[in-house]
Amino acid sequence: MQHNIKKIGVMTSGGDAPGMNAAIRAVARACSYYNVKCVGYYRGYQGMIEGDSIELTARSVKNIVSEGGTILKSARSTAFRTKEGRKKAYDNLVEEGVDAMILIGGDGTFTGGMIFSKEFDIPVIGVPGTIDNDISGTKFTIGYDTALNTVVEAIDKIRDTASSHNRLFFVEVMGRDAGFIALNAGVGAGAEEILIPEEDLGLDRLLESLQRSRRSGKSSSIVVVSEGDKIGKNVFELAEYVTENLPDYEARVSVLGHMQRGGKPSCFDRVLASRLGVKAVELILDGQSNVMVGVSDNNLIVTNIEKAVKGKHTINKELLRISDILSV
Amino acid sequence: MQHNIKKIGVMTSGGDAPGMNAAIRAVARACSYYNVKCVGYYRGYQGMIEGDSIELTARSVKNIVSEGGTILKSARSTAFRTKEGRKKAYDNLVEEGVDAMILIGGDGTFTGGMIFSKEFDIPVIGVPGTIDNDISGTKFTIGYDTALNTVVEAIDKIRDTASSHNRLFFVEVMGRDAGFIALNAGVGAGAEEILIPEEDLGLDRLLESLQRSRRSGKSSSIVVVSEGDKIGKNVFELAEYVTENLPDYEARVSVLGHMQRGGKPSCFDRVLASRLGVKAVELILDGQSNVMVGVSDNNLIVTNIEKAVKGKHTINKELLRISDILSV
Amino acid sequence: MQHNIKKIGVMTSGGDAPGMNAAIRAVARACSYYNVKCVGYYRGYQGMIEGDSIELTARSVKNIVSEGGTILKSARSTAFRTKEGRKKAYDNLVEEGVDAMILIGGDGTFTGGMIFSKEFDIPVIGVPGTIDNDISGTKFTIGYDTALNTVVEAIDKIRDTASSHNRLFFVEVMGRDAGFIALNAGVGAGAEEILIPEEDLGLDRLLESLQRSRRSGKSSSIVVVSEGDKIGKNVFELAEYVTENLPDYEARVSVLGHMQRGGKPSCFDRVLASRLGVKAVELILDGQSNVMVGVSDNNLIVTNIEKAVKGKHTINKELLRISDILSV
Amino acid sequence: MQHNIKKIGVMTSGGDAPGMNAAIRAVARACSYYNVKCVGYYRGYQGMIEGDSIELTARSVKNIVSEGGTILKSARSTAFRTKEGRKKAYDNLVEEGVDAMILIGGDGTFTGGMIFSKEFDIPVIGVPGTIDNDISGTKFTIGYDTALNTVVEAIDKIRDTASSHNRLFFVEVMGRDAGFIALNAGVGAGAEEILIPEEDLGLDRLLESLQRSRRSGKSSSIVVVSEGDKIGKNVFELAEYVTENLPDYEARVSVLGHMQRGGKPSCFDRVLASRLGVKAVELILDGQSNVMVGVSDNNLIVTNIEKAVKGKHTINKELLRISDILSV
């Protein structure tokens, strides 16, 4: 490849996700392989504004492929929403000699990068990293598969006690406005009912479904509730509502919370992150900019970053049907 | 051993704990080994009252040594608190030909068993099974070690995201009125501060400690809070109070909840449950009654069940000191 | 759907794989949902020949979605390779009233099923279940994702000790004649070198690569070796050869073995198995036969079973290139 | 405490064990707490001889409480067996200003330390760290509990496939000349037979036991074999011998290998390592030398290091009896 790239910057932004470190490692090692320098910025755009950075070499990223979190840390930056903030960030890149930036994050991260790239004519490449899987232009985002396993393992444990006590559990999972985690982890954990933002089941049908479930001989039940669910009640109100209307149910609530963001990445996420990280570097050396690299049908694909931000990654509603059949 | 025991009953009662199945298996197999019949009662005392039971053979308990929960299920029984209820239970045991009962559970279970045994002159043996470790007469209860690992693994995950975002997390763990889980899992997870019912740190000292922690260069912190803690605020109020008083802290709350009760038991809990279950059978064949079997210094010990119920298993405050030193 | 299917049979055959139970559950529940009876045959074709079966209801498959292994057990059947054996199996199906069979397994299973279906004009549907991922007509087989995580977790542990002692480890993984597990788990675990049957690296290049690796400052290294690798030496001979030629290396061998076949299935495998199992039932009700259901680009696809057996699922050699770049 | 200790050195030696990092962290933080400097030596005695060291501060050991392996690495040192080697090590300590050494390791480590301490009159404190649990003067060594869980989890996976295929598995586990791991993990995993160096079962009784096991209706079996077992055949020969004599058994072998040394430490090991590490520092400040700190009945105890080395930590043979009863 002919190019005049001498140094590539990389950062992680938005909610952290398992596999971000594997992606950072892939970027740093691909840079080393192609004889390009690599610098990591701490805390996303905030570190770019503050010039808070560290040189990344092939050796300095060793053994992080298996670590959760992000060694570059992550943050939200209000300063970067201002022209002044972005100007500072750009000046720091120029001073440091950074020719292009790789942005590991989600929608918000890419929107910022898109504006920045246009304003200052600097190449940016997006790498989708979020547990929510809510990004267009890729079938899978880094961290999503690990989060699914974390949720399923937690619900397996909850199932043990639910089943010992013949109880009904409402388990709230993450996912922002998307139901990917709830739907897939719900099917994986054998949940009796799954509530996601994309489909409003309605309170009446929930009660019906739970009654049917008990009549069919089930002594315990799990309802997985997405945090973005639109049923009009939060998970605690939901549990109360159900207990009031179905008095023979003893209901409990579990909010899985931030543990869903951490943990050692699954093999799937490590391989995905490794492939996307290497490809991001190669895209830069190939003269590309303003694109996001993703995966579809196990092949890497490249999408205009604007299209990725504006597009919508819709869930597969077939799974809702599967869930209905399986909770018979 | 000379004895005229022909059939032993076993049940699990109170909050379920990982390893209860290993204990049930040990009871069933020891019965088979000593040529005694074994019957399991479902849902604790409630199943005894209802005569809801199942024959347990050496083969019917296969492969449950590694399973969380309890195949005999657990429940609280209000009926057993009445003389009529206990009479019904006794009549069922007589009809079934049960000569002695093994009770796997905690304080409440043993108290019920003590009364029952006196009223109807039937031998009962207690086996301590609860994740809370709050039983006198044993250093370790079945399920406690597994719960510690579950908590530590969850906090490891939370640490990933706390550290990525430089955040302060309040993590609430189980333990009823005892701080065993909070204290040990807190030290194991490297928590900066641990709040337990046995010691009221006070809000001022908590703020001080967190400030010191940040000054010493720590960018993220974990505070483990026992559900029975006496600081006068629940974990959400606590997080709010700290954020108001230390504005540079971004605080989050995670309530680990019922997943702490489930999961495959650790090796420690399986071995403990196996030893206690076998011993419980042997104590019955040896003519004993109204005792609890426990472990101390890796040896099995036997305590009068009344003493076990009335005694108090106090935490090792040395660990609080260790925690202070380690969070320097 | 209009059909005259009254009873569907299901079995598992060949090497067992995590998620087979989730597939069995999906078949049983889909049958229940569509008001069709379901019967499970034990030990694959052998159970069909012996008439060794069990009725499967919606309730009898509860809580197995999370269990490794197969409740229907698996076996190889030499008797089924004879016309007499297959005739016996067919007679048993007729007697039992089974209208169609769902076969969960790999190449060998499907080849048997194809012959059987032609001989006796009975519909068969294949569901790909094997950790090796070596089946044409699907991007992923049931159990593969779980095996990858098992291997990566084991190598993470080996990395700990390799890194503490500055050692070189040769880790042999499963996969029969295919390198899927070795290649993906190798990239996921950050292996320095990966030996797969599809590409003969050669002994000289292996030595070179290891020398380069040490010169670049690495103090420990992991080489992942597929069991079907064609380098001409088994993993122990390989370690010896390397130690003789690179005396400053202290080499150790670890053969991961059968633990790769077991364990709780990952969320990915549970969802995949659930979708494939339901679809297999629906294909039968839809009048189809002699096809295998698979997944591609996250959509279900249907392939003629003969094509699936004769086709070849080739590995993605891009990953070998990625591995080279990442081990820089 | 009155003392004139200004700097404490710490190292890890022998086979690495999960929790060694937690012990290093405890030493470093306790030093910081007591205003003493701390220096870590790499690769055990070898680093002391080469003067290969690193300053350890409260911050430099952050987040290692959960990490397997040892950040100080480990090695065997032949040079330290010579007077010259030890002299060099001593000179380096003097030059560095180290007043006392904390040695984390096993028997071999302590023997070396004992000689060194006598020769050069420098205080040494032993901290027992080995997965084998074969050290006198403590009920538990650092890493042992984690290794038990690793073994039990691996055998759970093997049980899945053994049970699916009705097979007999021989699983070899670590433990050097002691049967602690085999015996406890064997009971925890529900093994049908356990072979340990402390008791020679004999080949005939093994065959008998396996035959009885099958007659009693068991379709699959696990035999756990300690690497130090004295039955006179290695695990592969054993499997062959059994298959020859019991032809209806299909036997397989799995050697768990070095993965037993790695992985995140269990809560038990982290708490144990934290307590022992702090205590070791306090013993030095208290003027003690040539002792090992251990744990008994959940209390810390201090043993003369010579006694610890010469003593023998015997296994609890009660567990063999328990295992017999449970495999009925």
Side-chain angles (χ1 to χ4, degrees), chain B residues 218-243:
Chain B
K218 292 196 183 183
S219 54
S220 66
S221 302
I222 304 280
V223 178
V224 172
V225 185
S226 177
E227 63 178 353
D229 170 60
K230 302 279 193 297
I231 206 166
K233 294 183 182 297
N234 74 34
V235 68
F236 293 98
E237 293 164 353
L238 206 56
E240 209 174 296
Y241 177 83
V242 166
T243 322

Side-chain angles (χ1 to χ4, degrees), chain A residues 22-92:
Chain A
I24 294 168
R25 169 179 175 268
V27 167
R29 295 235 164 135
C31 283
S32 169
Y33 183 86
Y34 289 115
N35 286 310
V36 173
K37 282 188 186 294
C38 184
V39 60
Y41 283 93
Y42 285 111
R43 290 168 300 124
Y45 292 121
Q46 197 58 29
M48 286 166 63
I49 290 173
E50 298 174 14
D52 186 10
S53 67
I54 185 171
E55 195 196 345
L56 297 177
T57 67
R59 286 292 72 68
S60 71
V61 294
K62 80 169 175 176
N63 286 353
I64 67 169
V65 70
S66 64
E67 281 179 30
T70 158
I71 59 165
L72 292 180
K73 295 176 182 279
S74 186
R76 289 201 170 74
S77 170
T78 47
F80 197 74
R81 296 208 181 135
T82 66
K83 177 91 195 219
E84 292 70 37
R86 294 192 294 272
K87 180 69 171 63
K88 261 196 190 166
Y90 178 69
D91 291 346
N92 278 326

Side-chain angles (χ1 to χ4, degrees), chain C residues 14-16 43 67-76 150 153-154 156-158 160-167 169 219 236 252-264, chain D residues 14-16 43 67-76 150 153-154 156-158 160-167 169 219 250 252-264:
Chain C
D16 63 319
R43 290 168 298 124
E67 280 177 30
T70 158
I71 59 165
L72 293 180
K73 295 177 183 278
S74 186
R76 288 200 172 74
T150 300
E153 284 164 25
D156 281 355
K157 293 193 172 87
I158 292 171
D160 282 342
T161 186
S163 164
S164 298
H165 287 276
N166 296 343
R167 277 177 182 154
F169 268 86
S219 53
F236 293 97
R252 291 285 184 280
V253 170
S254 192
V255 177
L256 294 190
H258 278 79
M259 57 173 283
Q260 294 169 81
R261 294 211 170 282
K264 289 183 167 240
Chain D
D16 62 320
R43 291 169 297 125
E67 280 178 30
T70 157
I71 59 166
L72 293 179
K73 294 173 184 283
S74 187
R76 290 204 167 71
T150 299
E153 284 164 25
D156 281 355
K157 292 191 171 87
I158 292 170
D160 282 342
T161 187
S163 164
S164 298
H165 287 275
N166 295 344
R167 278 178 182 151
F169 269 85
S219 54
E250 202 188 347
R252 291 284 184 281
V253 169
S254 192
V255 177
L256 294 189
H258 279 79
M259 56 174 284
Q260 294 168 82
R261 294 210 170 284
K264 289 181 167 242

Side-chain angles (χ1 to χ4, degrees), chain D residues 30-41:
Chain D
C31 283
S32 170
Y33 183 85
Y34 290 114
N35 285 310
V36 172
K37 282 187 187 293
C38 184
V39 60
Y41 282 92

Side-chain angles (χ1 to χ4, degrees), chain D residues 7-288:
Chain D
K7 197 185 264 189
I8 292 176
V10 60
M11 57 79 128
T12 51
S13 173
D16 62 320
M20 281 187 162
N21 278 326
I24 294 168
R25 168 181 175 266
V27 168
R29 295 233 164 136
C31 283
S32 170
Y33 183 85
Y34 290 114
N35 285 310
V36 172
K37 282 187 187 293
C38 184
V39 60
Y41 282 92
Y42 285 110
R43 291 169 297 125
Y45 292 121
Q46 196 57 29
M48 284 165 64
I49 291 173
E50 299 174 15
D52 186 9
S53 68
I54 184 173
E55 195 196 344
L56 297 177
T57 67
R59 287 291 70 71
S60 70
V61 293
K62 80 170 175 175
N63 287 352
I64 67 169
V65 71
S66 63
E67 280 178 30
T70 157
I71 59 166
L72 293 179
K73 294 173 184 283
S74 187
R76 290 204 167 71
S77 170
T78 47
F80 196 76
R81 297 206 182 136
T82 66
K83 177 95 193 216
E84 294 70 35
R86 293 192 294 273
K87 179 71 170 61
K88 259 196 192 168
Y90 178 69
D91 290 345
N92 279 324
L93 294 189
V94 170
E95 197 183 336
E96 175 87 53
V98 172
D99 301 308
M101 280 300 299
I102 293 174
L103 316 170
I104 307 173
D107 266 10
T109 308
F110 298 160
T111 306
M114 211 167 61
I115 298 168
F116 184 64
S117 170
K118 278 185 196 160
E119 266 177 5
F120 299 104
D121 192 28
I122 183 165
V124 303
I125 307 286
V127 172
T130 160
I131 63 167
D132 303 324
N133 207 36
D134 59 347
I135 295 181
S136 181
T138 190
K139 281 283 159 65
F140 300 106
T141 57
I142 298 168
Y144 169 59
D145 182 67
T146 305
L148 289 183
N149 284 329
T150 299
V151 171
V152 157
E153 284 164 25
I155 301 183
D156 281 355
K157 292 191 171 87
I158 292 170
R159 174 79 72 183
D160 282 342
T161 187
S163 164
S164 298
H165 287 275
N166 295 344
R167 278 178 182 151
L168 165 67
F169 269 85
F170 290 86
V171 181
E172 188 190 283
V173 303
M174 286 186 163
R176 292 203 313 173
D177 297 328
F180 288 98
I181 293 180
L183 187 50
N184 281 270
V187 169
E192 274 67 29
E193 202 56 73
I194 301 169
L195 306 183
I196 55 172
E198 288 87 347
E199 178 136 322
D200 185 356
L201 181 70
L203 288 166
D204 289 347
R205 276 188 47 211
L206 176 63
L207 292 183
E208 254 175 64
S209 159
L210 292 172
Q211 274 175 312
R212 205 181 328 115
S213 173
R214 187 137 288 197
R215 273 199 308 270
S216 82
K218 292 195 183 185
S219 54
S220 66
S221 302
I222 304 280
V223 178
V224 172
V225 185
S226 180
E227 64 178 352
D229 171 61
K230 302 278 193 299
I231 206 164
K233 297 185 180 294
N234 74 33
V235 68
F236 293 98
E237 294 165 353
L238 206 54
E240 210 174 298
Y241 176 83
V242 166
T243 323
E244 275 167 16
N245 286 277
L246 304 174
D248 49 328
Y249 264 104
E250 202 188 347
R252 291 284 184 281
V253 169
S254 192
V255 177
L256 294 189
H258 279 79
M259 56 174 284
Q260 294 168 82
R261 294 210 170 284
K264 289 181 167 242
S266 68
C267 185
F268 187 98
D269 275 331
R270 297 184 195 190
V271 172
L272 177 63
S274 299
R275 292 172 73 188
L276 297 182
V278 168
K279 185 70 176 178
V281 170
E282 294 178 340
L283 286 171
I284 289 175
L285 302 188
D286 205 34
Q288 300 218 34

Side-chain angles (χ1 to χ4, degrees), chain B residues 258-274:
Chain B
H258 279 79
M259 57 174 284
Q260 294 168 81
R261 293 208 171 285
K264 288 181 168 242
S266 68
C267 185
F268 187 99
D269 275 331
R270 298 184 194 190
V271 172
L272 177 63
S274 299

Side-chain angles (χ1 to χ4, degrees), chain A residues 16 70 73-74 160-161 163-164 263, chain B residues 16 73-74 160-161 163-164 263:
Chain A
D16 63 320
T70 158
K73 295 176 182 279
S74 186
D160 282 342
T161 185
S163 163
S164 297
Chain B
D16 61 319
K73 294 175 184 283
S74 187
D160 282 343
T161 186
S163 163
S164 297

